Amino acid sequence: MINILLIVRDDQIPECLREPLATPDIRTVTRRSPDEAATALDRSVFDAVIVYADADLPVLKEQLQALRQSRDIFILVVAPEYSLEMETAAIETGADLYFAEPLPRHSVQRILRQSGQKSGMEITPARRTPAPPPQQQGSPAAHSTLQILRDFSHVLGFSLDYKAFTQHFILKLRDHIRFSRIGIFLEPMSKQMVVRKESSQYLECVASLGLPSDLIDCFQLSRDIGIGHTLTERPRVLNLSRMEPELSDYEHRTITKEFKILGCELAIPLSDREKVIGVALINKPVSNRDYTEDEVELLYLLMEELGIAIRNSRLHHELANHGQLIEDVLGSMLSGAIVVSENLQILYANAAAAQFLDRRPGDGSRHAPNFADLPARLAGAVHKAVEKGEICDPFFTQGPSEGEVYRASLVPFAHKGELTLLPRPIMVVLEDFTKIEANKQSALADSRNELISLIAERFAHEIRNSLVPLSTHAQLIDKRIEDPKFQKSLKSSLLKESARIKRFSEQMLYLAQHSAGADADLDIADLIQSAFKKAKQQLVAPGAKLEIDENAMNGPVQGNPEALAYAFEELFINAIQAHPEKPVVHLDIQKSEEGIFRIRMRDEGTGFSDETLDHATEPFFTTRNTGVGLGLSVAQKVFREHHGFLRLFRRTPELNWDLEIELPEILSTAKNETNDHSDLPRI
């Protein structure tokens, strides 16, 4: 195994290094700086170091200097792009090689393997002290050692239950060190496996010999005071007959009291070589002698081995609890969960997944689900994800019964930022979308029916309004056909109502079709004047006036002449209708440095209220008895298709305008999507 240290700024393996390092014989550890791996570097854990130079040159020099401090290790610098200055600085500062992307995969792997072999050959084996001559067979010392090992080997039978093997341990220990009283106090395990484990402040007795049971039930050691506190802060053996002088009077009294309560004279810490997890308290040997130094050292080492065994047992219990927790969570999910191994075997399927596979969970009469039971489309996606690492987007698949719809999502088992060799396990999450899809289709149908009803209602209302004067004239045509006034009235009604129906049909066509197909150079002022003239004719309002600000600018724009003229015509019709007694429309045209025309408009009406401002551009929204409410909707759509936009305002003293249009001067250079104006007033 070759151990590689990768120094990279964001702890993520760069794409150029993923393939060269994705081999079973290379183990990669990522760190942000050499200081984070200083201890491992000093102890020669790594065979080589790769520095990904995506930062400034001073940072690279600093990293290389830190790596070269009294260390002899192979250093490879990899840069996103080649730089002669960086290469020179890297080699001069201590790098052995400098590469720039793209990397030669096989060359990098060969260099790393050679550095690992070289590193391994240069390691000087530790000097071993000559082993003592072997004891002759049958000697008392050899027999005693073998007997001790044989006795303590029985403890391994209780290795998964730390309380049982701790009790068995002290019984075997008593056979060799003749004490009559002992108590093992440990920090308790967390009862709730969901809650993050935290160190307890109390140590409870888990195994004892010679201590009264009622005393064990009501006595605990504390990490805040007494023996528990002293051994947690300074792990060493405490002896009641030889108390240490640096202890305070309060500590001395508390420790002495706890020793006397338990009837013990020796306190030994239980360590798992990382922290103190408990305390062992023992009384004097039955012969009432003091323990020798060798016995105290032996007890300390045995308690350390016991602490390691307890830690391993607890880790096993925590792992089992976490596994049970994961199984309980997956089993209680309404969504299906299927775990597929790298060998395409189904390792787990919860109840919802069994229902998807048309299986009854726990039914022994049917074989366990296998990969062949998956639907063809799902099986193909899982096979690509496991074998090739190709994770597709969530997709819909048919359920076991007709009409059932499930959404399948593939989740790979891989830690973020770590290399994962293929094939790799996959979890399939199956969500039942049958009701969601049914509700969606129902909502779409309801919305479609509602829209059709609204359109039909508006059509009928507008056509009926146009037919009323026409049908009235039709009833009188036989009697008054010769009357000049009747002829004039009939002609006016025909022109007016046919124009109304024509406008309505044109509005519907502009909503349904794309209007920016024909591009032509148009003069913005001429375009606006022509649109205003058509609006006057449409409304038969000869007194309507268009007042353009004297500082208004002019210039060409590109677009569909008919569509743009029609959009402005709709805006002018609304402005004139806002105040028929005073049909004056105020206009201002400005042009930005980026070539954007901004046209602002105001009429003599009251302007937009808060309610109308929110709904004014919605199709079929109107505040008048006539019309269908499509004018602003059509105008907004036309301007958007010409890469501009329409904004509506509520009049204020600072901004005394009703609306603003923006149109680009050159259509071909405008963005293809609508600009983001989230900070502007609502449309």
Side-chain angles (χ1 to χ4, degrees):
M1 178 66 68
I2 303 171
N3 295 312
I4 304 297
L5 173 62
L6 175 60
I7 305 297
V8 62
R9 183 168 50 181
D10 55 359
D11 265 349
Q12 301 293 324
I13 299 177
E15 290 295 333
C16 65
L17 289 171
R18 286 183 175 274
E19 192 173 1
L21 298 179
T23 58
D25 60 335
I26 295 179
R27 176 177 176 268
T28 306
V29 177
T30 59
R31 293 292 184 269
R32 288 187 175 89
S33 66
D35 294 337
E36 296 182 4
T39 303
L41 286 168
D42 293 338
R43 300 189 180 187
S44 302
V45 172
F46 302 107
D47 301 305
V49 179
I50 300 177
V51 180
Y52 189 68
D54 60 344
D56 298 334
L57 188 58
V59 176
L60 175 63
K61 290 183 178 180
E62 183 180 348
Q63 292 176 344
L64 293 176
Q65 290 171 356
L67 289 170
R68 278 299 178 213
Q69 289 180 356
S70 304
R71 301 189 185 102
D72 184 15
I73 189 170
F74 178 81
I75 300 176
L76 170 63
V77 175
V78 177
E81 57 184 13
Y82 179 76
S83 169
L84 178 60
E85 180 185 5
M86 180 173 287
E87 180 184 14
T88 304
I91 299 301
E92 291 179 352
T93 313
D96 295 290
L97 278 178
Y98 174 90
F99 280 159
E101 296 186 29
L103 296 182
R105 170 191 170 189
H106 298 290
S107 299
V108 171
Q109 291 178 343
R110 184 174 181 180
I111 290 171
L112 294 178
R113 290 191 178 97
Q114 289 178 350
S115 65
Q117 294 173 0
K118 180 180 178 182
S119 174
M121 290 186 296
E122 291 179 352
I123 296 177
T124 304
R127 184 174 298 174
R128 300 181 179 178
T129 56
Q135 296 284 345
Q136 295 183 357
Q137 186 176 3
S139 65
H143 176 75
S144 175
T145 303
L146 289 175
Q147 184 62 36
I148 293 174
L149 292 175
R150 185 181 297 111
D151 290 341
F152 278 98
S153 67
H154 293 298
V155 178
L156 299 177
F158 303 92
S159 58
L160 296 183
D161 187 347
Y162 72 93
K163 290 185 178 181
F165 74 64
T166 302
Q167 186 67 36
H168 200 71
F169 173 84
I170 62 177
L171 292 176
K172 290 299 179 182
L173 184 64
R174 182 173 177 265
D175 294 340
H176 301 280
I177 301 178
R178 302 294 182 177
F179 51 78
S180 60
R181 185 174 298 169
I182 185 173
I184 305 293
F185 291 81
L186 298 175
E187 59 183 18
M189 286 187 65
S190 177
K191 295 181 180 180
Q192 299 294 334
M193 55 188 176
V194 179
V195 181
R196 182 177 177 87
K197 182 181 177 182
E198 298 180 356
S199 298
S200 173
Q201 292 301 109
Y202 295 95
L203 306 176
E204 60 184 17
C205 185
V206 299
S208 64
L209 178 67
L211 294 178
S213 58
D214 57 343
L215 176 62
I216 295 173
D217 293 338
C218 62
F219 182 79
Q220 292 178 329
L221 296 179
S222 173
R223 289 188 184 272
D224 296 329
I225 57 173
I227 297 174
H229 173 73
T230 303
L231 295 189
T232 299
E233 295 295 326
R234 299 183 293 276
R236 77 267 196 207
V237 178
L238 279 180
N239 196 326
L240 179 61
S241 60
R242 296 194 298 272
M243 296 292 285
E244 299 177 359
E246 64 266 18
L247 295 176
S248 64
D249 292 340
Y250 176 75
E251 290 177 324
H252 189 280
R253 291 195 305 270
T254 306
I255 293 172
T256 302
K257 178 182 178 181
E258 290 178 340
F259 270 129
K260 290 184 178 180
I261 290 175
L262 296 172
C264 297
E265 298 185 5
L266 201 66
I268 305 170
L270 268 75
S271 170
D272 61 0
R273 295 184 182 172
E274 293 181 0
K275 63 176 183 177
V276 175
I277 63 172
V279 176
L281 287 99
I282 310 176
N283 69 337
K284 279 188 175 183
V286 293
S287 59
N288 203 29
R289 64 176 177 84
D290 291 333
Y291 288 104
T292 64
E293 293 294 331
D294 291 340
E295 288 175 328
V296 172
E297 291 181 4
L298 177 61
L299 286 171
Y300 183 87
L301 295 176
L302 288 176
M303 293 304 168
E304 186 179 73
E305 295 298 326
L306 176 62
I308 295 173
I310 292 173
R311 181 196 64 183
N312 294 338
S313 173
R314 289 186 167 184
L315 288 176
H316 173 271
H317 281 285
E318 289 180 7
L319 183 61
N321 288 340
H322 282 293
Q324 185 62 44
L325 172 63
I326 293 174
E327 185 172 353
D328 292 343
V329 170
L330 293 177
S332 61
M333 287 172 53
L334 298 179
S335 301
I338 302 175
V339 180
V340 183
S341 71
E342 59 271 19
N343 298 323
L344 295 179
Q345 295 178 347
I346 295 182
L347 303 179
Y348 175 82
N350 64 356
Q355 181 180 357
F356 171 79
L357 298 174
D358 198 17
R359 297 179 177 280
R360 290 168 292 176
D363 188 354
S365 62
R366 306 184 67 177
H367 63 274
N370 53 54
F371 190 75
D373 296 326
L374 298 179
R377 184 182 180 188
L378 180 59
V382 171
H383 183 269
K384 288 183 179 180
V386 172
E387 297 292 338
K388 301 180 181 180
E390 299 177 3
I391 305 297
C392 63
D393 295 331
F395 59 92
F396 290 96
T397 183
Q398 182 67 34
S401 302
E402 184 178 358
E404 291 185 345
V405 180
Y406 284 79
R407 189 179 76 165
S409 305
L410 305 184
V411 182
F413 285 98
H415 292 289
K416 185 178 181 181
E418 292 188 2
L419 294 173
T420 303
L421 300 179
L422 298 176
R424 61 181 177 184
I426 292 291
M427 184 173 74
V428 182
V429 179
L430 298 165
E431 300 172 86
D432 189 351
F433 267 62
T434 304
K435 293 183 179 179
I436 297 176
E437 287 298 310
N439 293 335
K440 184 191 297 184
Q441 295 300 325
S442 176
L444 288 175
D446 294 342
S447 177
R448 185 164 49 249
N449 294 334
E450 183 179 353
L451 180 60
I452 293 173
S453 300
L454 180 60
I455 294 175
E457 180 184 352
R458 294 293 184 180
F459 259 105
H461 177 74
E462 191 68 9
I463 294 174
R464 186 168 54 245
N465 289 342
S466 299
L467 290 177
V468 168
L470 296 179
S471 61
T472 302
H473 282 83
Q475 293 173 5
L476 299 174
I477 193 169
D478 293 335
K479 297 179 180 180
R480 302 183 59 182
I481 188 62
E482 302 297 336
D483 187 352
K485 293 183 178 180
F486 178 81
Q487 293 176 358
K488 183 178 180 180
S489 175
L490 176 60
K491 181 180 179 180
S492 175
S493 297
L494 287 172
L495 292 175
K496 181 178 179 181
E497 301 309 325
S498 61
R500 179 192 293 187
I501 296 175
K502 180 183 177 183
R503 181 191 174 203
F504 178 56
S505 61
E506 287 177 345
Q507 288 177 336
M508 297 299 294
L509 286 175
Y510 276 111
L511 280 179
Q513 298 176 358
H514 190 72
S515 62
D519 295 341
D521 291 335
L522 310 170
D523 186 87
I524 189 67
D526 293 344
L527 178 68
I528 291 174
Q529 292 284 2
S530 174
F532 186 76
K533 182 178 179 181
K534 290 182 180 180
K536 288 174 57 176
Q537 294 174 352
Q538 173 74 19
L539 296 176
V540 192
K545 295 181 181 180
L546 177 63
E547 294 185 355
I548 301 179
D549 190 271
E550 59 181 6
N551 296 321
M553 303 183 67
N554 192 14
V557 294
Q558 287 184 342
N560 186 328
E562 295 181 359
L564 287 175
Y566 188 81
F568 279 106
E569 181 183 346
E570 290 290 341
L571 297 180
F572 288 135
I573 289 175
N574 285 342
I576 294 172
Q577 289 177 336
H579 200 302
E581 293 79 12
K582 191 178 180 181
V584 180
V585 181
H586 303 274
L587 201 71
D588 182 34
I589 306 173
Q590 298 295 329
K591 182 180 176 183
S592 67
E593 296 179 356
E594 295 80 13
I596 303 296
F597 282 102
R598 290 186 174 88
I599 304 105
R600 292 182 176 180
M601 186 183 301
R602 180 181 71 252
D603 55 50
E604 293 297 328
T606 58
F608 294 104
S609 64
D610 290 337
E611 180 182 358
T612 57
L613 195 66
D614 291 333
H615 305 285
T617 57
E618 294 179 2
F620 305 111
F621 177 82
T622 181
T623 57
R624 293 192 295 269
N625 294 328
T626 60
V628 293
L630 291 178
L632 289 177
S633 302
V634 171
Q636 183 188 55
K637 181 175 182 291
V638 171
F639 292 140
R640 282 182 175 175
E641 290 173 345
H642 285 77
H643 311 301
F645 65 90
L646 169 68
R647 286 185 294 174
L648 307 183
F649 300 114
R650 180 128 164 68
R651 294 179 188 174
T652 61
E654 296 80 14
L655 188 64
N656 190 23
W657 297 100
D658 293 327
L659 56 87
E660 180 182 69
I661 306 106
E662 282 197 6
L663 285 173
E665 179 182 19
I666 302 175
L667 188 61
S668 59
T669 59
K671 293 184 179 179
N672 291 329
E673 66 275 355
T674 303
N675 297 330
D676 181 13
H677 300 285
S678 56
D679 59 331
L680 301 175
R682 298 167 293 178
I683 293 179

